[in-house]
Amino acid sequence: MNAKVWLVGAGPGDPELLTLKAVRALQQAAVVMIDDLVNPAVLEHCPQARVIAVGKRGGCRSTPQAFIQRLMLRHARQGRCVVRLKGGDPCIFGRGGEEALWLQGHGIEVELVNGITAGLAGATQCGISLTSRGVSRGVTLVTAHTQDDSELNWTALAQGGTTLVVYMGVARLEQVRQGLLAGGMAPGLPVAMIENASMPQQRECRSDVLGMVEDARMFGLRSPAILVIGEVVGEQQALELVSIAG
Ligand code: SAH
């Protein structure tokens, strides 16, 4: 029996940012297991499939990971084509690697399909060029929320000279700010906080390291959101001013 599971990234939300390969997987699926950060609009590509919602947002009632994995295994072993649809990219803070290894360990063929990760999508949708030449020599993607609550090496991040993109940061803004300042980031370094990236309801709050917590509170920033921290954020503002002036 040719059991197979596709671990597919659904992108940040805009259904048009889905890859052609993701669409092909959806068209072939008998079972689609969908995370709650995925825009249900993408399900238009799989009217034939049985859809199972397996959301696990932090702090909310969620389907245990072990149950999700066993469910994938059961359907695959019954010969069904299973698509596990995840927000963004399956391998960026998405457990794609873990699930792939576990399934392969149980003799199941796995295919990983890229999606556009929220951090990259959010920045681009807001006109922020994450690796702007001469301003930033790279991007670092980090999560503010770790399984064991361990701290990031903020000093290394501050000294790295790369733009920082923080996932899962909304509930930990104060800790992020403290870490950034303790690590030596300039208090005036620009920050963009982007909520619902790529969706019609996308919102963007501009601030700096020192003011980010209060500004986010006044703005009413809600999850899902990413934080972009670095000179490239200010650069984009400068560009806007030029275009307004011109
Ligand atoms: N695999 C996903 C990330 C899952 S972790 C990806 O590659 O994008 C969940 C975090 O992703 C959220 O807490 C938030 O920080 C971010 N996120 C996911 N979708 C988002 C969106 N549409 N807008 C802003 N942030 C988003």
Side-chain angles (χ1 to χ4, degrees):
M1 196 165 296
N2 201 8
K4 181 166 175 178
V5 174
W6 300 69
L7 297 175
V8 178
D14 177 352
E16 290 198 321
L17 290 178
L18 208 58
T19 66
L20 293 175
K21 202 164 189 177
V23 170
R24 187 161 64 79
L26 284 170
Q27 286 167 343
Q28 290 173 25
V31 177
V32 173
M33 294 171 60
I34 181 171
D35 268 3
D36 48 12
L37 275 178
V38 174
N39 184 347
V42 303
L43 297 174
E44 72 166 282
H45 299 292
C46 57
Q48 79 291 348
R50 176 173 162 206
V51 177
I52 306 172
V54 290
K56 21 202 305 319
R57 291 296 294 278
C60 302
R61 270 176 68 85
S62 64
T63 316
Q65 180 68 18
F67 176 80
I68 296 173
Q69 292 182 185
R70 282 201 303 273
L71 199 59
M72 286 193 281
L73 184 63
R74 199 177 76 211
H75 284 296
R77 282 196 169 148
Q78 286 167 359
R80 299 192 182 104
C81 174
V82 179
V83 167
R84 168 92 161 101
L85 201 53
K86 291 167 174 283
D89 187 279
C91 292
I92 300 293
F93 308 124
R95 299 189 183 213
E98 255 173 71
E99 291 181 8
L101 280 175
W102 188 85
L103 288 162
Q104 283 160 350
H106 286 79
I108 306 292
E109 190 191 338
V110 175
E111 182 153 348
L112 285 155
V113 180
N114 283 105
I116 300 179
T117 189
L120 305 190
T124 302
Q125 298 294 320
C126 290
I128 300 168
S129 173
L130 288 171
T131 61
S132 197
R133 195 150 55 107
V135 182
S136 163
R137 54 198 317 171
V139 193
T140 310
L141 308 182
V142 298
T143 173
H145 181 87
T146 52
Q147 222 168 8
D148 57 0
D149 269 339
S150 60
E151 271 302 311
L152 287 159
N153 185 342
W154 293 107
T155 310
L157 292 171
Q159 290 169 355
T162 65
T163 307
L164 204 56
V165 177
V166 182
Y167 290 67
M168 291 173 263
V170 175
R172 294 182 59 89
L173 282 179
E174 183 58 62
Q175 290 93 327
V176 171
R177 170 168 66 182
Q178 276 172 21
L180 291 168
L181 291 172
M185 289 265 188
L189 195 65
V191 176
M193 297 174 267
I194 305 163
E195 180 186 289
N196 284 311
S198 85
M199 298 291 283
Q201 67 272 31
Q202 171 176 301
R203 296 199 304 154
E204 186 192 359
C205 173
R206 293 291 174 113
S207 183
D208 56 21
V209 169
L210 196 60
M212 57 189 267
V213 178
E214 291 73 24
D215 286 341
R217 195 176 302 134
M218 269 169 36
F219 183 82
L221 186 78
R222 309 239 347 235
S223 181
I226 50 121
L227 321 177
V228 181
I229 301 155
E231 296 294 353
V232 295
V233 175
E235 179 199 47
Q236 192 254 344
Q237 258 170 342
L239 275 178
E240 259 174 19
L241 289 178
V242 169
S243 66
I244 289 166

